[in-house]
Amino acid sequence: FGAQEDVDLLGLAAEECARTGAELDVAPDVGELVVHGHARLLRRVVRNLLENARRYGRGAGKADAEVRLTLERQGAVPRVVLAVEDRGPGVPRELREQIFEPFYRLPGASESEGGVGLGLSLVRTIVARHGGTVHCEDRPGGGARFVVSL
């Protein structure tokens, strides 16, 4: 698993957003967003969520997905909250836990879209190993919102 280190989540998110063309939204007064963990694994979490949003997050009639990553600090015991949002069809409420199971893919997800159903399972495993949580919810205005709390 390797040694843990302080990871600049803001810098990591900015790099991955630039790589995937996603919008990065951070409050101007948020300051440093550093978590203790494994940089390579945390990068995999961000990359998997952004790539899923890019792959499945197109709204009806859209040529490309609108993907946004937000970062903020929450709570009395500060937690870093990272959310990846898209404007796709969203995830039905009854499937929001199942999508984190290995090899599960939403009904209608075609093989041509790529992926084998391991990305979200890997995200949940990595986040849990860092003492965090991940869940899926509706994005206001339509789409999916994946929320990681570390």
Side-chain angles (χ1 to χ4, degrees):
F1 206 58
Q4 291 194 5
E5 59 190 320
D6 284 342
V7 180
D8 173 12
L9 212 50
L10 178 56
L12 189 151
E15 289 170 10
E16 290 301 315
C17 283
R19 194 182 70 73
T20 60
E23 177 186 335
L24 178 61
D25 185 9
V26 182
D29 60 345
V30 79
E32 281 191 326
L33 292 171
V34 174
V35 296
H36 195 68
H38 301 275
R40 192 176 104 277
L41 295 175
L42 291 170
R43 180 176 301 278
R44 174 55 52 201
V45 166
V46 173
R47 185 171 290 180
N48 282 7
L49 291 174
L50 288 171
E51 287 177 352
N52 272 5
R54 176 81 44 224
R55 184 178 293 137
Y56 303 111
R58 269 189 287 285
K62 299 275 186 177
D64 205 3
E66 294 175 40
V67 178
R68 181 172 69 172
L69 186 151
T70 60
L71 275 170
E72 60 186 342
R73 195 183 321 277
Q74 287 182 349
V77 177
R79 308 268 305 159
V80 174
V81 177
L82 177 148
V84 174
E85 306 174 331
D86 64 50
R87 289 285 182 209
V91 178
R93 187 173 303 280
E94 66 274 10
L95 299 177
R96 289 188 187 155
E97 276 304 307
Q98 203 169 355
I99 60 173
F100 290 99
E101 293 175 10
F103 304 108
Y104 182 80
R105 296 180 69 201
L106 282 173
S110 75
E111 295 299 323
S112 65
E113 290 170 327
V116 294
L118 286 174
L120 291 176
S121 173
L122 186 60
V123 164
R124 178 163 272 174
T125 299
I126 293 169
V127 169
R129 287 227 176 128
H130 283 82
T133 61
V134 60
H135 70 273
C136 177
E137 61 191 30
D138 287 330
R139 179 181 185 177
R145 183 170 198 253
F146 286 84
V147 182
V148 174
S149 177
L150 295 167

